[in-house]
Amino acid sequence: MKKENNNSNIIEINELNKWYGDFHALKNINLKIKEGEIVVVCGPSGSGKSTLIRCVNFLEKFQEGEIIVNGTQLTDDVAKIRSIRSEVAMVFQHFNLFPHLSIIDNLTLAPIWVHNEGKDEAREKALKLLDRVGIKDQADKYPNQLSGGQQQRVAIARSLCTSPKIMLFDEPTSALDPEMISEVLDVMIELAKEGITMICVTHEMGFARKVAQRIIFMDEGQIVEENDPETFFHHPESDRLKLFLDQILTH
Amino acid sequence: MPTFELQEQRKAPISQVGIVRWLRDNLFSSWASIGLTLFSLYLLYLIFPPMLDWMIFSANFNFGTVDIFGLEIKFSEEMATNANCGREAACWPYIYEKFYMYIYGFYPRAESWRVDIVYALTAMLFVMVRVLRNFTHKNKAFLVMFIIFPFASFYLISGGVFGLEHIETHRWGGLMLTLVIASVGILFSFPIGILLALGRQSNLKVISLFSTIYIEFIRALPLITILFMASFVLPMFFSEGMNFDKLLRALIAITLFQAAYFAEVVRGGLQAIPTGQYEAADAIGLNYFQKNALIVLPQALKISIPNLVGSSISLFKDSVLVLIIGLMDILAMVNMTSNDPYWLGRETEGFIFVTIVMWVFLYSMSRYSKKLEIRFSTDHKN
């Protein structure tokens, strides 16, 4: 019955509330994201943007409201959570590569163990993906031998390995040296062109302007304003967003 | 206009390197340090010359004619006896005479080849681990080896199958028994320890509570108490006629004891793994067992290697405590053999011999741990 409404919305978040102990981290979040849409979430630190996208693949539990991903409602059910996680991939701020495994093993882990693919098949696919992010020649090295930018590109390749429908990016460039940010953003822009659904928490306003179809501004655990990039940057409605844009764009 | 010229690297000044520099830095850097150095040298002078004299220069090496693998080496006309051996210095013929007791205990001489095979298998295990390192299916091979090895060793030593004479455990003794106790204790308590450590970290409150209580209870007890419990108190609960092997009881006690210590060591490793690793494992869809087996434990155990080996070394040393419940391990053999009326009063030689044997084993373990650490390192930090 609900499925009909969800057809165009791959993610649907209704009346989401989350607390850390007594702290009200997310307040009445309502958000609908269409398949293939590219959404950038921005806002000052502590505004709940990371918490929001971490709720989408259930890395964070929430107390009230509902999240429906690809027609499946998130509950405590372990099997459901795992099935959602195989469709929702996540890229972290600190890459979170597995340091005891080589790059290629980092990539083939989920296909082999979660999706029961053959070793050779998984390896071939992984090498293709590494080629796509431009680090095929590093396949047999270990994560700590790579630069930050390369590590983040490996992390992106790793999350693509399971052919996810949705990609979540949690400040993917915040931990990088300025010189390496663009190489990661380039990969993300390439991805955006391919029609994968992306939710991206980032402070890279240039990236947001270039690829986002919608930008969401959060503060104090609430969605303050959401708009297309043009309106967002040039005709902000709320004073809070005006102030925020003032602070980040003057430098 | 300023230009950039790369300057050549130079060698460090001569005063920064070499032995003189080392001596000055480490032994003679201040008056206090000079004093301590001289005092230490004096102590060494007091201890070492008499010790070496006792152990080697004045010691008695009259073994008679020794047959080493068919090669006959003549040390003296006749083997020394306790009477003509002298009391001022070591009498090593005593060790030579009692060597069998120290290594095999009361194991029948005709069957001692079975124990020798187990020693050889153990040595082979270490060689195989090296040889198979680059083998494609090495993990499966190792698993099979480590499952077969304990059973093969047990049936070889114990017998009762394939026409081998059954040797009851009260006839096991010496170094063999020490090694059996230590290796069984380490091998079996290790997986239990890992489970307890994971249990203590578990989100399921009942499991976490059980693990915590178990670990804290065992760690608050001395091993001797647990051994006494297993040896004397436990049989009281069993019905009459139910004969539970004494060695088996000791092994269970030691395994349960050591598991608690391993659990704490592994927990230390688990806590060093950043939350990001758990989150990444969750995010790519691994389940609980895959997450621990593929991501968390390999990293946690690697960090724990020095402490795991340290804990194993402690267990090896503690295993000599079984002599108080009447098991005849290598240390018990000292009293046993020097109570022999013919070799009365040779405890000192015995203790020194046991010290050397123990040191060789424990130091090898410690070196091996260092090697493992280097081999499993994937830090690749410059």
Side-chain angles (χ1 to χ4, degrees):
Chain A
M1 26 156 215
K2 249 187 175 169
K3 204 112 205 196
E4 257 171 283
N5 306 340
N6 292 350
N7 266 350
S8 56
N9 291 334
I10 196 161
I11 299 174
E12 204 167 310
I13 301 173
N14 295 318
E15 292 297 317
L16 178 71
N17 277 286
K18 172 169 175 66
W19 286 265
Y20 286 112
D22 269 345
F23 177 68
H24 200 168
L26 292 175
K27 300 171 187 160
N28 295 323
I29 304 286
N30 285 293
L31 184 65
K32 287 174 182 57
I33 292 170
K34 291 195 187 67
E35 187 151 10
E37 197 176 5
I38 291 153
V39 177
V40 164
V41 184
C42 62
S45 57
S47 60
K49 42 194 196 320
S50 287
T51 312
L52 174 62
I53 70 161
R54 286 157 61 89
C55 281
V56 173
N57 69 347
F58 219 68
L59 280 184
E60 298 284 355
K61 287 185 178 176
F62 49 89
Q63 287 79 20
E64 279 177 18
E66 58 173 11
I67 299 180
I68 300 164
V69 178
N70 205 19
T72 316
Q73 184 169 358
L74 282 186
T75 57
D76 274 331
D77 185 353
V78 182
K80 265 189 193 171
I81 293 171
R82 287 193 65 202
S83 90
I84 284 171
R85 280 175 180 163
S86 65
E87 284 163 16
V88 184
M90 187 160 199
V91 175
F92 298 87
Q93 180 177 5
H94 296 285
F95 333 133
N96 296 358
L97 294 176
F98 306 126
H100 63 300
L101 298 175
S102 65
I103 300 301
I104 190 82
D105 289 341
N106 263 280
L107 264 71
T108 55
L109 194 72
I112 291 174
W113 291 93
V114 184
H115 300 272
N116 299 319
E117 284 176 27
K119 263 187 190 169
D120 298 328
E121 184 192 348
R123 192 183 157 85
E124 206 172 304
K125 210 167 81 184
L127 284 174
K128 261 185 208 158
L129 283 169
L130 282 178
D131 196 23
R132 221 168 100 187
V133 298
I135 29 182
K136 195 180 177 182
D137 46 334
Q138 318 275 12
D140 291 317
K141 287 195 179 169
Y142 283 87
N144 287 334
Q145 292 170 299
L146 269 53
S147 74
Q150 289 173 323
Q151 287 192 44
Q152 191 60 298
R153 283 187 280 155
V154 171
I156 293 174
R158 178 177 71 180
S159 56
L160 286 172
C161 250
T162 49
S163 323
K165 288 194 174 141
I166 304 163
M167 293 272 285
L168 307 173
F169 290 87
D170 188 1
E171 307 201 19
T173 54
S174 304
L176 296 175
D177 290 343
E179 287 174 315
M180 295 167 181
I181 290 177
S182 68
E183 65 184 56
V184 171
L185 289 181
D186 286 344
V187 171
M188 289 169 64
I189 290 169
E190 280 301 307
L191 275 180
K193 285 178 190 160
E194 284 167 30
I196 199 167
T197 312
M198 283 168 66
I199 309 180
C200 198
V201 173
T202 184
H203 298 294
E204 296 299 327
M205 289 304 133
F207 171 79
R209 201 173 294 190
K210 210 184 226 167
V211 300
Q213 289 155 4
R214 185 152 48 123
I215 305 180
I216 292 168
F217 177 66
M218 287 184 74
D219 191 27
E220 303 280 337
Q222 286 166 254
I223 294 182
V224 180
E225 198 171 330
E226 49 176 299
N227 242 322
D228 59 279
E230 177 61 24
T231 330
F232 186 89
F233 286 110
H234 300 294
H235 310 287
E237 286 163 19
S238 62
D239 294 340
R240 183 65 191 89
L241 177 54
K242 280 176 193 162
L243 181 69
F244 178 74
L245 289 175
D246 240 20
Q247 282 166 339
I248 57 167
L249 295 180
T250 44
H251 293 291
Chain B
M1 190 175 141
T3 53
F4 175 68
E5 264 178 55
L6 193 63
Q7 298 186 6
E8 289 283 313
Q9 295 223 1
R10 279 196 302 135
K11 272 195 177 158
I14 198 76
S15 65
Q16 300 296 313
V17 288
I19 184 146
V20 180
R21 169 81 189 174
W22 186 89
L23 283 176
R24 213 168 55 202
D25 273 0
N26 294 295
L27 298 180
F28 302 102
S29 59
S30 66
W31 284 111
S33 147
I34 291 171
L36 281 173
T37 302
L38 292 178
F39 179 67
S40 308
L41 284 175
Y42 178 65
L43 275 185
L44 290 179
Y45 167 75
L46 282 187
I47 295 166
F48 266 94
M51 198 174 93
L52 289 177
D53 185 56
W54 186 88
M55 280 178 69
I56 298 168
F57 301 121
S58 306
N60 189 317
F61 287 97
N62 295 334
F63 298 126
T65 306
V66 181
D67 178 12
I68 304 173
F69 300 118
L71 196 71
E72 301 217 330
I73 299 173
K74 194 173 173 190
F75 282 88
S76 61
E77 288 304 322
E78 286 201 343
M79 198 173 128
T81 63
N82 203 19
N84 68 22
C85 213
R87 290 279 159 188
E88 306 77 40
C91 175
W92 297 122
Y94 150 73
I95 298 292
Y96 174 65
E97 169 82 12
K98 298 293 181 190
F99 193 72
Y100 187 88
M101 290 280 279
Y102 275 111
I103 304 299
Y104 306 94
F106 301 102
Y107 207 84
R109 278 186 190 247
E111 303 290 329
S112 68
W113 58 270
R114 281 154 53 176
V115 181
D116 293 336
I117 289 182
V118 172
Y119 284 141
L121 278 179
T122 315
M124 247 190 31
L125 205 65
F126 283 89
V127 176
M128 289 298 271
V129 168
R130 279 196 89 95
V131 171
L132 290 180
R133 199 180 292 169
N134 299 320
F135 183 53
T136 346
H137 304 292
K138 61 175 179 184
N139 289 338
K140 278 177 203 155
F142 287 157
L143 201 67
V144 170
M145 264 167 27
F146 279 101
I147 290 172
I148 291 179
F149 175 72
F151 289 102
S153 308
F154 172 76
Y155 283 115
L156 265 170
I157 296 180
S158 167
V161 284
F162 305 124
L164 292 174
E165 188 196 335
H166 179 54
I167 314 286
E168 285 159 337
T169 53
H170 66 79
R171 294 166 82 180
W172 302 14
L175 177 66
M176 177 195 98
L177 186 67
T178 302
L179 290 176
V180 165
I181 293 171
S183 49
V184 168
I186 292 166
L187 282 180
F188 283 79
S189 61
F190 186 54
I192 302 176
I194 290 177
L195 289 181
L196 281 171
L198 289 174
R200 195 170 181 170
Q201 302 281 75
S202 170
N203 290 327
L204 302 169
K205 287 283 170 283
V206 181
I207 293 180
S208 146
L209 190 70
F210 169 80
S211 310
T212 310
I213 290 175
Y214 176 86
I215 292 167
E216 294 306 331
F217 178 71
I218 295 284
R219 288 193 341 137
L221 290 176
L223 179 57
I224 295 196
T225 322
I226 298 175
L227 282 173
F228 268 128
M229 284 280 290
S231 177
F232 302 119
V233 184
L234 216 56
M236 287 197 251
F237 300 121
F238 292 128
S239 54
E240 201 77 23
M242 194 171 157
N243 196 11
F244 211 177
D245 190 88
K246 186 155 73 174
L247 175 62
L248 183 62
R249 273 178 291 167
L251 287 177
I252 291 173
I254 285 178
T255 303
L256 294 180
F257 175 80
Q258 184 65 13
Y261 281 87
F262 274 150
E264 284 301 272
V265 169
V266 173
R267 186 167 71 106
L270 289 176
Q271 281 173 341
I273 307 300
T275 14
Q277 293 290 310
Y278 291 88
E279 287 179 352
D282 282 337
I284 64 172
L286 298 179
N287 65 27
Y288 179 82
F289 294 101
Q290 292 169 336
K291 178 169 67 177
N292 281 304
L294 299 169
I295 306 299
V296 179
L297 282 176
Q299 297 184 63
L301 294 181
K302 197 162 65 186
I303 305 172
S304 314
I305 289 173
N307 289 332
L308 285 172
V309 176
S311 193
S312 305
I313 287 175
S314 296
L315 174 70
F316 199 116
K317 290 192 279 194
D318 286 352
S319 74
V320 297
L321 287 175
V322 297
L323 78 89
I324 61 154
I325 59 166
L327 291 172
M328 291 299 162
D329 74 336
I330 189 167
L331 192 63
M333 282 303 154
V334 176
N335 283 324
M336 180 68 69
T337 54
S338 54
N339 280 344
D340 177 349
Y342 189 74
W343 286 103
L344 223 47
R346 291 293 176 188
E347 286 92 346
T348 320
E349 285 86 342
F351 283 126
I352 285 181
F353 174 68
V354 172
T355 307
I356 293 170
V357 172
M358 285 298 230
W359 184 84
V360 166
F361 274 96
L362 296 172
Y363 185 70
S364 319
M365 275 168 85
S366 152
R367 296 307 302 172
Y368 196 67
S369 121
K370 195 104 214 139
K371 270 190 147 175
L372 284 182
E373 256 176 85
I374 294 167
R375 232 190 76 205
F376 289 133
S377 165
T378 47
D379 282 353
H380 304 289
K381 294 209 177 96
N382 303 321

